[in-house]
Amino acid sequence: MKLRTLLLLLVSLLSLPGIAQTMGGIKGTVVSRTTRATIDKVKVTMMPGEVTTTTDGSGQFVFDNLGQGEYTLVFETPEYEVLNLPVRVDKMMREVRVVLVPERNVMMDDAVFAEFDTETMEDAQSLPSSLSASKDVFNNIASYQFSEMRFNVRGYDSQFSDVYLNGIQLNDAMTGYTPWSLWSGLNDATRNQENTTGLAMGDVGVGGIAGVTNINTRPSQMRKGWRMSLVNANSMYRFRGMVTYASGMQDNGWSYAFSVSTRQGGNDYIKGVYYNAYGYFGTVEKQFRNGHRLGLLVLGAPTERGAQQASTQEVYDLVGNNYYNPNWGWQDGKRRNARVRNYHEPITMLNYTFDINDRSQLNVATSLRFGQNGYSALTWYAGPDPRPDYYRYLPSYYEGTATGGWLQEAWMRNTDNIRHINWDRMYDINRSQTPNSTYGDGNRSINMIEERHTDQLDWNLNSQFSHIFRNNSKLNAGINLRRNRTEYYSEVKDLLGGDYWIDVDKFAERDMGGLDPIPYQNNMDYYEKYGHAQAVKKGDKYSYDYYGNVLSGRGWAQYGFNLANLEIGVGGEIGHTTLWRHGLWRKGLFPDDSQGDSKKQNYLTYKVKANFRYQLSALHTFDANITYMQDAPAFQYAFVSPRTRNAATPGVDTEKVFGVDASYNFRSGDFRARVSGYYTTFRDQTKVISYYDDVEATFSNFAMSGIDKRHFGLELAASVPLYEGLSLKGALSWGQYTYNSNPDYIQLQDNSGEIKNEGKVYWKNKRVESTPQLAANIGLSYRSRNNIFISLDGNFYDNMYLSMSPLYRTDAVLTQGMTQEEIAAIRNQEKFGSAFVMNASIGKNWYIQRKYTLGFSLSVDNLLNNQGIKTGGYEQIRLLKNKEQSTLTYEPFDAKYFYMLGTNYYLNLYFRF
């Protein structure tokens, strides 16, 4: 099939007549192999020279006034294979008819796009750093195959991958993480993406170390027509419906597009999880005379989602199911989940483009993100812990006793629904509370559901200028300004049958004996006005309320030029970031350091980067890249306890990253291969963990600074055509990601700021957690001439490690009368077992009258139904006092785990016209 395409191109080149010119040139028409329809907006790059054009509405392009010699034309457009076409130019204008072949993943349609969402380590789903399809052979395989194992390319967290929407970077200002959930479910509207990998720079910015993705949603550049799809699945939700329309460029210069979607239902494995989600997208663009364009975009993805929480292996074994979810219980005959993610954060964006001339362009854009983002959780006061898998409710806590035996039997039989949240009991407890005359009639709730909010107001302004010089070198430069104000607070979501909740700090009240009411007041202004704490009701804010503020500005520039067959790109960025906290309430614990603005933290940020590509021939290219960057810490780690006070984290500093990588790429027709090596160091990272410390018997803030890491490894991938549409593909990622320092730590008592312990965390040479450091794929794929696609893949994973508790690896714990063997055991990092997974997919589409496309795709993952594969987990930071020994010692709580789902499917039906 591919051979026929190449022969067609060759015959076209040799047979069509030319027009005599003093200098040569080439013009042509680009069409689709499947429909023979012309394709507009195809990016055509001529090398050497890096001269770029795009096909017009008739699929035509032209390069004229070319010197004699050999050139390579590269044709790139979404949903089609990249085509490299060698041509020879003499004194004739050659005309060609170029035939593009659909990308392999197009046959799968959007079934290959998983609906990922960023979450805390307690949640079931996490986001791989390489989410979307890429024409790079390695990333194409890694995105679709390795995501099942929470795979991060090169071990990098997602904040090192820059994500842009129409030229504006939208990585979360507070955490740096990629914001895919903002447009989750709008796959069709956001499928037009420009990707770079590794250290390569993007056209919209210098980028980080994990590539650059720019999502282009301008309606004039979206494929014209309707697109409808229906999905049935059993892994994340049951149903998804989506409708999208793009008008294309109209004669009056207007273009528009819209998309709506919904995702509903739960899954076959994890009880209590569900989706109740919608998506909307609308954009309009006007093209004026003299090269001016103006576009407006509005999108949002209101979502309510029940979450899973990890549990211990003891609980999984008692239940006989590795997908046990402790977050839910029965209420009125229905499952009710206590941990629900509920968010709606719309984005509105305005884009202006001015094509100054055929070599210069100016882009200006501004965006605003707003709305609410809440995450609910159970909370309680002076009563029994309502979580069903609390360690005191498990047989292991009473090992060797009659109580332990009874609990084991009850858990195995689910006696009185012991495995689940007892909603009725919490309602009964709240309704039985004695009324307090201070707060009027009604019963005080001692159990309730709170909703923790991070509501962002995020404004961006971006301006970018690009110019191609006469020697075909190219300059890109821009300035960016960002202002983010995020309100952090908790509000009462459900009082569970009670009438109010008393807003006091329960940890401070317990630690300080409750004699003096001042220290445990969350809102001193209210207390001083009324003489008592506030009795909050549903919808009221309580516990904490403050703003996190980020103000950043940066300027960047990159310049690319050619020296014969060598392409060189150099770029740099310099900026400044200011972080500060603004407390809205005055806390009783810290009356002079909780309300108003904190001291501003100011950080100089910068990046320098160089990209080199040597093209030995049209078949062989070599890439080498190097970067050094310095960035501000994330807001969430810059303050030691932002819920209570303005104090900065001890030892907080800028984070420094150094990276190099090198690659060899081979492409001959459909034969593609890449081999890469990389080396990256991270220095001076900061992390803060807040938890209840059983050793010190107080709520604590554990602040680490000087965290260093080192990542190095190899990537190999190839796609090899075998015979008549049958291809062999494979990928290998081998890395070693280790902690390269023993970080400093300070443990502070949250209620006073008193230093309880300080020293070193013995992490050096331990492995970075939560991603396989060895991942391999081998697969067969077949595409028939009548548009049937079939694939079968085997994936192997190894060298995956549990997320470590820093407390276990400090002298404060290790000196508590423990033997050397006990110290070695508590310091040991758990390594997960290796895993093998098989996946399959099949799809077909039908072209009807060359106007309509009807198709389906079905992917089935984990064909072997292996339900014992750990995909992540973490050590609980708390320690348990050992009751059996006369000398006081401590032992760790059991770790908690997540497991890969058993056999699951994703069926997509779509229609385009």
Side-chain angles (χ1 to χ4, degrees):
M1 176 180 62
K2 306 294 185 182
L3 181 60
R4 292 179 60 191
T5 300
L6 294 177
L7 288 175
L8 175 60
L9 294 171
L10 182 59
V11 170
S12 299
L13 279 169
L14 296 177
S15 62
L16 293 176
I19 303 174
Q21 299 281 331
T22 56
M23 293 189 70
I26 183 169
K27 63 180 179 179
T29 303
V30 180
V31 300
S32 169
R33 181 186 69 84
T34 52
T35 66
R36 301 299 172 181
T38 58
I39 308 174
D40 60 355
K41 300 208 172 36
V42 177
K43 179 182 177 183
V44 187
T45 305
M46 184 187 67
M47 298 187 299
E50 284 289 331
V51 179
T52 299
T53 187
T54 56
T55 59
D56 61 19
S58 300
Q60 296 180 348
F61 69 94
V62 62
F63 293 103
D64 54 16
N65 297 323
L66 301 179
Q68 299 182 46
E70 294 184 354
Y71 295 82
T72 298
L73 299 182
V74 181
F75 297 83
E76 298 176 276
T77 190
E79 302 185 358
Y80 287 86
E81 296 273 5
V82 174
L83 175 65
N84 293 324
L85 179 63
V87 296
R88 182 175 182 82
V89 174
D90 49 23
K91 293 182 180 181
M92 305 287 288
M93 173 67 79
R94 294 286 184 183
E95 183 173 346
V96 297
R97 184 176 179 83
V98 181
V99 182
L100 293 188
V101 178
E103 273 276 346
R104 178 187 63 218
N105 63 306
V106 173
M107 182 62 64
M108 290 303 298
D109 199 58
D110 53 9
V112 295
F113 286 82
E115 305 286 352
F116 293 100
D117 189 13
T118 53
E119 287 295 352
T120 66
M121 64 181 179
E122 294 182 348
D123 224 346
Q125 299 297 334
S126 65
L127 177 71
S129 61
S130 179
L131 174 70
S132 58
S134 170
K135 292 181 173 63
D136 175 83
V137 60
F138 175 85
N139 281 349
N140 190 285
I141 295 173
S143 297
Y144 297 148
Q145 295 298 324
F146 296 159
S147 60
E148 63 191 6
M149 203 65 172
R150 301 176 177 225
F151 177 79
N152 289 331
V153 175
R154 300 184 179 181
Y156 304 148
D157 290 334
S158 70
Q159 68 262 38
F160 295 108
S161 177
D162 290 354
V163 176
Y164 292 75
L165 182 66
N166 294 341
I168 291 183
Q169 186 177 358
L170 290 181
N171 290 66
D172 192 279
M174 295 290 120
T175 65
Y177 286 102
T178 49
W180 299 103
S181 61
L182 295 178
W183 47 82
S184 182
L186 295 170
N187 306 55
D188 288 345
T190 59
R191 66 191 306 130
N192 189 5
Q193 302 180 12
E194 302 163 5
N195 299 285
T196 69
T197 60
L199 302 182
M201 292 182 285
D203 288 339
V204 291
V206 175
I209 57 173
V212 179
T213 297
N214 182 37
I215 301 172
N216 185 347
T217 64
R218 294 187 173 184
S220 61
Q221 299 178 30
M222 296 177 67
R223 187 169 298 280
K224 181 179 179 179
W226 288 90
R227 181 185 182 93
M228 302 176 182
S229 65
L230 295 174
V231 166
N232 177 253
N234 71 335
S235 60
M236 299 189 70
Y237 46 76
R238 287 291 184 184
F239 169 81
R240 192 197 73 187
M242 187 182 304
V243 177
T244 304
Y245 176 74
S247 69
M249 180 61 70
Q250 298 178 320
D251 294 339
N252 58 5
W254 285 94
S255 57
Y256 62 92
F258 64 85
S259 183
V260 291
S261 73
T262 183
R263 292 163 292 160
Q264 300 291 328
N267 66 54
D268 278 351
Y269 290 97
I270 305 167
K271 305 303 181 185
V273 303
Y274 65 90
Y275 269 80
N276 181 21
Y278 301 88
Y280 59 88
F281 167 94
T283 181
V284 63
E285 185 178 26
K286 170 65 174 177
Q287 183 168 323
F288 300 92
R289 295 180 179 179
N290 302 320
H292 298 278
R293 282 177 284 161
L294 188 65
L296 177 66
L297 164 71
V298 176
L299 66 81
T303 299
E304 181 186 71
R305 182 168 65 83
Q308 179 197 10
Q309 190 167 336
S311 197
T312 63
Q313 194 59 51
E314 176 191 8
V315 173
Y316 291 141
D317 292 342
L318 288 169
V319 174
N321 187 330
N322 286 333
Y323 309 118
Y324 167 76
N325 181 13
N327 286 341
W328 69 275
W330 294 103
Q331 184 177 5
D332 296 330
K334 298 180 180 180
R335 291 189 180 93
R336 181 178 181 182
N337 195 321
R339 292 183 67 85
V340 175
R341 190 72 176 265
N342 200 326
Y343 59 87
H344 181 200
E345 297 181 281
I347 296 175
T348 182
M349 182 177 295
L350 189 66
N351 288 87
Y352 166 73
T353 300
F354 177 31
D355 295 318
I356 302 170
N357 53 47
D358 60 350
R359 291 180 174 269
S360 302
Q361 187 180 79
L362 174 67
N363 284 280
V364 180
T366 185
S367 70
L368 183 68
R369 168 185 173 184
F370 55 98
Q372 291 189 331
N373 191 327
Y375 204 1
S376 67
L378 282 171
T379 190
W380 58 97
Y381 172 88
D385 191 321
R387 296 171 298 177
D389 62 344
Y390 179 53
Y391 76 101
R392 290 178 180 266
Y393 302 157
L394 299 179
S396 59
Y397 187 74
Y398 305 93
E399 188 175 1
T401 68
T403 301
W406 177 85
L407 280 172
Q408 181 166 347
E409 184 71 17
W411 267 89
M412 294 177 68
R413 294 179 177 272
N414 194 26
T415 303
D416 296 326
N417 280 318
I418 194 174
R419 301 173 181 175
H420 308 303
I421 293 173
N422 192 328
W423 294 106
D424 292 340
R425 182 186 181 195
M426 287 190 288
Y427 275 80
D428 291 341
I429 291 174
N430 288 341
R431 288 166 177 160
S432 67
Q433 299 301 303
T434 302
N436 188 322
S437 59
T438 302
Y439 301 103
D441 296 334
N443 299 322
R444 174 182 181 178
S445 289
I446 65 170
N447 300 289
M448 77 156 178
I449 296 180
E450 63 176 333
E451 188 168 68
R452 302 162 187 166
H453 277 259
T454 56
D455 296 348
Q456 298 205 24
L457 189 63
D458 187 72
W459 174 75
N460 287 270
L461 177 65
N462 176 73
S463 180
Q464 180 180 342
F465 173 77
S466 60
H467 179 73
I468 301 175
F469 295 91
R470 293 294 180 184
N471 62 356
N472 292 320
S473 60
K474 186 174 182 180
L475 172 69
N476 276 333
I479 56 173
N480 308 93
L481 181 64
R482 186 173 201 176
R483 175 68 170 93
N484 182 286
R485 192 198 72 182
T486 298
E487 185 176 7
Y488 295 85
Y489 63 94
S490 194
E491 74 174 20
V492 178
K493 185 176 182 179
D494 192 333
L495 289 165
L496 303 180
D499 297 295
Y500 58 86
W501 175 273
I502 304 301
D503 185 18
V504 295
D505 186 328
K506 63 180 181 181
F507 291 106
E509 183 181 23
R510 180 176 60 180
D511 289 354
M512 299 180 180
L515 298 178
D516 181 3
I518 299 298
Y520 54 85
Q521 297 303 317
N522 286 323
N523 188 341
M524 278 298 299
D525 292 340
Y526 186 95
Y527 178 82
E528 290 177 349
K529 182 176 181 179
Y530 296 101
H532 58 78
Q534 183 178 2
V536 292
K537 299 183 178 181
K538 182 178 180 179
D540 290 341
K541 296 178 182 178
Y542 94 105
S543 184
Y544 60 92
D545 191 5
Y546 67 93
Y547 290 136
N549 294 277
V550 176
L551 175 63
S552 64
R554 57 191 175 97
W556 60 275
Q558 54 182 263
Y559 179 65
F561 59 97
N562 293 346
L563 297 174
N565 291 337
L566 178 64
E567 302 174 27
I568 301 175
V570 293
E573 176 184 298
I574 188 165
H576 185 273
T577 298
T578 301
L579 310 176
W580 73 98
R581 175 189 182 272
H582 179 85
L584 296 174
W585 290 354
R586 184 161 54 97
K587 302 279 285 189
L589 290 168
F590 305 97
D592 300 323
D593 193 35
S594 54
Q595 195 173 46
D597 284 346
S598 69
K599 181 179 179 181
K600 290 182 170 61
Q601 299 184 30
N602 294 290
Y603 299 97
L604 175 69
T605 65
Y606 61 87
K607 298 177 182 179
V608 290
K609 186 177 285 190
N611 299 156
F612 305 91
R613 167 167 288 188
Y614 180 75
Q615 185 163 343
L616 183 64
S617 68
L619 303 180
H620 308 277
T621 57
F622 298 87
D623 295 284
N625 308 288
I626 185 169
T627 189
Y628 184 82
M629 58 187 68
Q630 175 174 290
D631 205 356
F635 178 89
Q636 60 178 343
Y637 297 143
F639 295 87
V640 68
S641 181
R643 290 188 179 185
T644 62
R645 57 194 183 275
N646 287 331
T649 301
V652 66
D653 199 358
T654 54
E655 300 179 358
K656 294 89 175 175
V657 180
F658 169 77
V660 293
D661 67 18
S663 301
Y664 163 71
N665 294 275
F666 175 81
R667 178 151 190 168
S668 176
D670 293 327
F671 192 149
R672 294 181 293 169
R674 171 162 75 85
V675 180
S676 300
Y678 58 91
Y679 178 89
T680 313
T681 61
F682 306 84
R683 293 193 298 114
D684 294 330
Q685 293 184 328
T686 305
K687 188 173 186 178
V688 180
I689 303 172
S690 296
Y691 68 104
Y692 184 80
D693 191 322
D694 298 82
V695 178
E696 297 293 340
T698 187
F699 196 78
S700 293
N701 310 123
F702 194 99
M704 291 184 289
S705 60
I707 303 172
D708 299 343
K709 300 176 185 176
R710 180 178 62 193
H711 293 217
F712 64 88
L714 295 171
E715 296 171 340
L716 301 94
S719 178
V720 183
L722 298 177
Y723 178 76
E724 290 293 329
L726 181 66
S727 298
L728 174 69
K729 63 177 182 178
L732 172 68
S733 172
W734 173 86
Q736 185 169 303
Y737 320 140
T738 57
Y739 288 95
N740 207 31
S741 68
N742 290 322
D744 297 314
Y745 84 93
I746 295 179
Q747 182 183 359
L748 304 170
Q749 183 175 359
D750 188 60
N751 295 328
S752 66
E754 177 188 352
I755 297 177
K756 306 298 293 185
N757 286 301
E758 58 183 317
K760 294 285 186 180
V761 178
Y762 299 113
W763 269 6
K764 189 171 184 179
N765 297 325
K766 299 293 185 182
R767 294 297 186 100
V768 174
E769 63 280 353
S770 300
T771 184
Q773 301 190 17
L774 174 64
N777 162 270
I778 187 73
L780 285 171
S781 63
Y782 172 72
R783 181 190 293 277
S784 73
R785 296 179 180 177
N786 59 348
N787 299 319
I788 296 177
F789 174 80
I790 303 173
S791 70
L792 180 66
D793 289 88
N795 302 323
F796 177 79
Y797 306 100
D798 202 2
N799 297 342
M800 187 169 179
Y801 295 82
L802 187 68
S803 179
M804 297 180 295
S805 163
L807 182 64
Y808 300 177
R809 296 160 180 89
T810 65
D811 288 329
V813 170
L814 302 184
T815 57
Q816 297 286 336
M818 301 176 70
T819 67
Q820 290 300 315
E821 290 77 13
E822 290 171 332
I823 291 174
I826 202 172
R827 280 186 175 179
N828 182 57
Q829 183 182 16
E830 182 180 343
K831 177 184 177 182
F832 295 164
S834 59
F836 178 75
V837 182
M838 288 192 67
N839 303 324
S841 60
I842 184 172
K844 177 172 173 54
N845 56 20
W846 295 265
Y847 294 102
I848 305 171
Q849 299 179 354
R850 297 190 177 184
K851 295 181 180 180
Y852 311 103
T853 302
L854 174 66
F856 81 93
S857 59
L858 171 66
S859 62
V860 182
D861 295 338
N862 197 356
L863 287 169
L864 302 180
N865 197 29
N866 188 339
Q867 301 186 16
I869 301 174
K870 293 175 180 176
T871 61
Y874 55 93
E875 295 175 341
Q876 299 187 71
I877 197 169
R878 296 179 64 182
L879 290 168
L880 182 65
K881 293 181 181 180
N882 193 323
K883 306 183 297 297
E884 303 298 327
Q885 300 181 15
S886 57
T887 302
L888 182 62
T889 62
Y890 297 86
E891 61 186 56
F893 280 65
D894 289 344
K896 293 189 174 185
Y897 305 102
F898 290 111
Y899 283 85
M900 182 183 295
L901 298 184
T903 301
N904 59 91
Y905 71 90
Y906 192 96
L907 173 64
N908 184 42
L909 306 175
Y910 55 93
F911 182 56
R912 296 195 298 263
F913 61 97

